[in-house]
Amino acid sequence: MSEHMALENLTVLDLTRVLAGPFCTMMLADMGANVIKIEVPKGGDDTRSYPPFRAKNLNGERESVYFANINRNKKGITLNLKAPEGKEIFKELVKKADIVVENYRPGVMDKLGLGYDVLKEINPRIIYAAVSGFGCYGPYHLRPGYDILAQAMGGMMSITGSKGGEPTRAGSALGDILGGLHVTIGILAAVNARTITGKGQRVDVSLMDSMIAATENTALKYLETGNIPAPMGNRYAAVSPYDSFTCKGGKVIIAAGNQKLYEKLCNEVLERPDMITDPRFVDMPGRLANQDAIAEVIEERIKDLTPNEAAELVLAHGIPAGPIMNIKEILDDPHAKEREMFVEMDHPTLGKVTVNGCAIKLMDTKPSVRTPAPQLGQNNRDIFEGVLGMTEEQFNTLHEKQVF
């Protein structure tokens, strides 16, 4: 394994808060980027006040574990970008940076005099990435954006939920996470483009766009059939049987995604070869139209098996299957453990804390969780004096003026 990290040569100025932007910069930091998180001097990132909390940290205070999870591996400074001195400090940092990431409403950075058109004159190689609810152009671009709006207006809620039920938000902030992933990909593409052109560029990602992209072939189904897709529970409109099935004490997923797998399921698990030639099930359109009948046979076969037992039975015949797992079961799962999807780290005020691991597995330059999330303004002196060359007298004067 290499002693290097994949993004160790990149410096990122992180102006983001809450989730979509911080998720992006967390990924960059996990892969080795030098991420400098810039927060407002009073209060900092909103998520410092988000649950879950450790009721008493090592200092006897309440502290957010949410913030600790999403901001690990970053350095932290405070800076008042409304103050003239704060603007100048930020511009000096831009000269030394590769990437700026922000998730303000479009136009905010321009009003501050720190938009892309200004920053690219300071550093033509700067990559300026913005993730917002609706992007930097279009009729909705000035609207405030939140995850639930992205899920609603991006089409995901309209196809999520029980059959015949109400549109349902995904259980996590999927719009924010997908927005964070898309802006990360955009940044890395822009870094590569810079090696070709020698110039940086602006990256614009919308939560709504990210959700539309994630609805996959929903638009195609409507355009080809004229039917508006609706919630189907755990079923999939293109494949059957591909669903959750009730067994003893829970549910199991069985995914017979092609004709060969369906025939193996009928012959080897259900012991019902007649279901292969039955006119109702002979091809995929027929199986999609008769999913209830198929489910009845499957559930009769597995009714006395637990979800794990049912999954093992089906897997033994080479058919994809797995139990529906809650978070406690995932934390205990040997595969998730070996893949390091939950990592325990030492935090200066929380003590031992478990955070999510990095889902990207680079086999040579391995991402890792190395340092805890910063305390508010923790690295002010390191950055302002060590990187920008500010004297102690200058530092103290600007601190007294509440520039940081």
Side-chain angles (χ1 to χ4, degrees), residues 296-360:
E296 186 177 337
V297 176
I298 292 173
E299 292 181 345
E300 176 63 25
R301 173 67 179 87
I302 63 173
K303 66 181 181 181
D304 295 323
L305 302 177
T306 66
N308 277 314
E309 290 169 343
E312 290 299 327
L313 168 67
V314 177
L315 285 166
H317 297 279
I319 302 160
I324 295 178
M325 300 164 68
N326 62 36
I327 193 59
K328 180 182 184 303
E329 291 165 332
I330 296 168
L331 282 160
D332 292 335
D333 184 73
H335 186 80
K337 285 182 178 179
E338 187 164 337
R339 299 284 295 179
E340 298 179 285
M341 285 312 301
F342 300 97
V343 180
E344 186 178 76
M345 65 185 304
D346 291 311
H347 190 282
T349 54
L350 290 170
K352 297 287 185 184
V353 61
T354 297
V355 297
N356 295 82
C358 183
I360 296 173

Side-chain angles (χ1 to χ4, degrees), residues 97-99 116 119-120 123-129 187 189-203:
D98 296 281
I99 300 156
Y116 176 61
L119 300 187
K120 72 178 181 180
N123 180 355
R125 289 176 59 81
I126 200 73
I127 292 163
Y128 182 103
I187 288 168
V191 169
N192 187 67
R194 190 174 64 180
T195 67
I196 301 168
T197 67
K199 296 180 180 180
Q201 62 181 292
R202 188 173 183 177
V203 179

Side-chain angles (χ1 to χ4, degrees), residues 118-138:
V118 172
L119 300 187
K120 72 178 181 180
E121 295 301 318
I122 297 170
N123 180 355
R125 289 176 59 81
I126 200 73
I127 292 163
Y128 182 103
V131 54
S132 61
F134 301 96
C136 70
Y137 62 91

Side-chain angles (χ1 to χ4, degrees), residues 98-271:
D98 296 281
I99 300 156
V100 172
V101 190
E102 56 101 342
N103 62 349
Y104 295 113
R105 198 183 307 188
V108 169
M109 288 292 283
D110 293 309
K111 288 178 181 178
L112 289 170
L114 299 172
Y116 176 61
D117 290 339
V118 172
L119 300 187
K120 72 178 181 180
E121 295 301 318
I122 297 170
N123 180 355
R125 289 176 59 81
I126 200 73
I127 292 163
Y128 182 103
V131 54
S132 61
F134 301 96
C136 70
Y137 62 91
Y140 304 153
H141 79 281
L142 292 179
R143 290 188 183 186
Y146 279 100
D147 168 79
I148 194 168
L149 291 170
Q151 293 199 36
M153 298 176 70
M156 188 62 72
M157 284 180 65
S158 73
I159 57 172
T160 303
S162 301
K163 184 177 180 181
E166 294 293 321
T168 304
R169 175 186 171 275
S172 70
L174 195 57
D176 280 328
I177 297 299
L178 288 172
L181 286 169
H182 278 94
V183 78
T184 303
I185 294 166
I187 288 168
L188 297 180
V191 169
N192 187 67
R194 190 174 64 180
T195 67
I196 301 168
T197 67
K199 296 180 180 180
Q201 62 181 292
R202 188 173 183 177
V203 179
D204 175 46
V205 168
S206 149
L207 301 189
M208 182 178 174
D209 291 351
S210 298
M211 293 308 301
I212 292 172
T215 60
E216 190 208 346
N217 63 354
T218 300
L220 301 179
K221 286 183 282 189
Y222 167 69
L223 291 170
E224 293 300 318
T225 68
N227 298 320
I228 298 176
M232 297 180 62
N234 294 324
R235 290 177 177 175
Y236 185 39
V239 178
S240 174
Y242 193 99
D243 195 359
S244 61
F245 300 94
T246 301
C247 52
K248 183 180 178 181
K251 287 183 177 287
V252 64
I253 299 294
I254 299 174
N258 57 41
Q259 186 67 25
K260 180 180 178 181
L261 290 172
Y262 174 69
E263 291 181 7
K264 285 176 69 68
L265 179 69
C266 293
N267 281 325
E268 300 172 19
V269 178
L270 303 178
E271 298 178 352

